[in-house]
Amino acid sequence: MEALLDTCIQVPSALERNADDVVARVLSHEWVNSEYKHLILDAPDPAPRSLAGQFFNIECPSTESDKPFFRRPMSTYKADPQSGTVEFLYKVTGAGTRGLATLVTGQDVRILGPLGIGFRLAEDWRNIVVLGRGVGLATLAPLAETAASRGVTVTAVLSARNPARVMSVERFRDSGAQVEVVLDSDGTSAPANVEAMLRRLAEDGRADAFFTCGSNRLMLLMQRLGRELGIPGQVAMEQQMACGLGMCFCCVRTFKSGNATVSRRVCWEGPVFDLQEPLSW
Ligand SMILES: Cc1cc2nc3c(=O)[nH]c(=O)nc-3n(C[C@H](O)[C@H](O)[C@H](O)COP(=O)(O)OP(=O)(O)OC[C@H]3O[C@@H](n4cnc5c(N)ncnc54)[C@H](O)[C@@H]3O)c2cc1C
Ligand code: FES
């Protein structure tokens, strides 16, 4: 019975979510390194009201070689209701993102969103740690800004293959975050080193909550430390999606809730979940 109830966890209704399928116009679309592009769109409401951790399902243009049938989910990298803009930072990986990469300034693109449940900040959290890698940094950057705007001190641990792959450092710093970069190229991203950093932050009283995105390995590390040290947290999950609206069930992953193992749709009950709940695969 517990498992059954858990599959029906309380989430906002479709009407409460305020998503819409809108046509946005490309304002700027630049490479930030050899793998990632930064897309800035002029978009009508409700797109620029997207909150940290929410995402959009984006219609990716077809090319001569790629016909991406489904839309692709992308986290909100930045959303600004004042300027009416919404931004994405994405890695050019396969058919969808190769098509997306062809968009030029002035072109229109359909985006559905904002979708999903984003990050939550408890009133009594004064210091948080965000730990991200790769595309996870795109998801965590707006969280750092939201936290800072509420007077929360942020330590951002950014993991990357090498210095050329570290993104958004200035964005995190501009928000007031203390930034620590860890790299594969010099061995500082090794789990033992990251664990030691997180333990130090906890000992120094700088970790009321943990947040992570972009790496299963880092998620498992934060999960274990959070459990051991009694630090709550959240993780933004990635999963291949089709509808993005909770209807097709193609994004289901398994989670633990108490003693039960339950199935949840990443697009609808997430993509942000309690750090202790996701099961690795
Ligand atoms: C909520 C959410 C937010 C996301 N935000 C971002 C973002 O901000 N920036 C960004 O670069 N990416 C983000 N992604 C991932 C992005 O949607 C995928 O990179 C994209 O779907 C890949 O599409 P593609 O057309 O390039 O590759 P495809 O041709 O669809 O796939 C290429 C390969 O990657 C695998 N793959 C595709 N998507 C995923 C996935 N989600 N997880 C694991 N393997 C996958 C496929 O199996 C295939 O082997 C997000 C995903 C989710 C669910
Ligand atoms: S993508 Fe269709 S239910 Fe999640």
Side-chain angles (χ1 to χ4, degrees), residues 35-37 53-57 60 66 68 70-77 87-100 115-116 134-139 167 213 236-241 251 253 266-267 270-272 281:
E35 292 180 337
Y36 283 82
K37 288 197 91 167
Q54 289 192 295
F55 69 99
F56 288 80
N57 223 3
C60 301
D66 296 308
F70 293 112
R71 294 187 180 198
R72 298 297 195 266
M74 288 291 160
S75 295
T76 309
Y77 182 51
E87 303 182 24
F88 302 94
L89 179 68
Y90 67 94
K91 183 176 181 179
V92 181
T93 308
T97 47
R98 276 197 299 267
L100 199 60
L115 298 170
V135 298
L137 302 178
T139 311
M167 291 174 298
C213 183
M237 309 280 292
E238 277 192 21
Q239 175 67 302
Q240 279 181 288
M241 294 182 179
C251 64
R253 283 186 68 160
V266 172
C267 74
V272 177
W281 60 2

Side-chain angles (χ1 to χ4, degrees), residues 163-181:
R165 293 286 171 273
V166 193
M167 291 174 298
S168 308
V169 174
E170 290 313 316
R171 174 104 188 267
F172 280 100
R173 285 209 178 112
D174 288 349
S175 75
Q178 169 81 39
V179 176
E180 309 278 354
V181 173

Side-chain angles (χ1 to χ4, degrees), residues 89-230:
L89 179 68
Y90 67 94
K91 183 176 181 179
V92 181
T93 308
T97 47
R98 276 197 299 267
L100 199 60
T102 65
L103 287 174
V104 294
T105 302
Q107 201 171 338
D108 287 344
V109 56
R110 290 202 82 91
I111 60 170
L112 170 64
L115 298 170
I117 310 289
F119 296 104
R120 281 88 59 192
L121 285 167
E123 291 288 333
D124 58 341
W125 292 344
R126 307 316 310 156
N127 301 276
I128 63 168
V129 179
V130 304
L131 170 63
R133 185 173 170 95
V135 298
L137 302 178
T139 311
L140 293 169
L143 169 65
E145 283 166 356
T146 302
S149 73
R150 296 186 192 176
V152 177
T153 304
V154 179
T155 306
V157 183
L158 312 182
S159 174
R161 283 208 307 276
N162 54 51
R165 293 286 171 273
V166 193
M167 291 174 298
S168 308
V169 174
E170 290 313 316
R171 174 104 188 267
F172 280 100
R173 285 209 178 112
D174 288 349
S175 75
Q178 169 81 39
V179 176
E180 309 278 354
V181 173
V182 294
L183 303 170
D184 298 353
S185 54
D186 64 9
T188 49
S189 66
N193 186 54
V194 177
E195 177 169 347
M197 288 175 80
L198 296 178
R199 285 186 184 278
R200 265 199 309 277
L201 289 166
E203 277 164 23
D204 294 347
R206 288 165 60 191
D208 298 332
F210 283 154
F211 294 85
T212 188
C213 183
S215 158
N216 194 47
R217 197 174 65 159
L218 294 178
M219 179 189 80
L220 292 175
L221 170 60
M222 267 199 153
Q223 236 179 19
R224 178 168 57 76
L225 281 183
R227 212 165 31 239
E228 181 192 321
L229 304 173

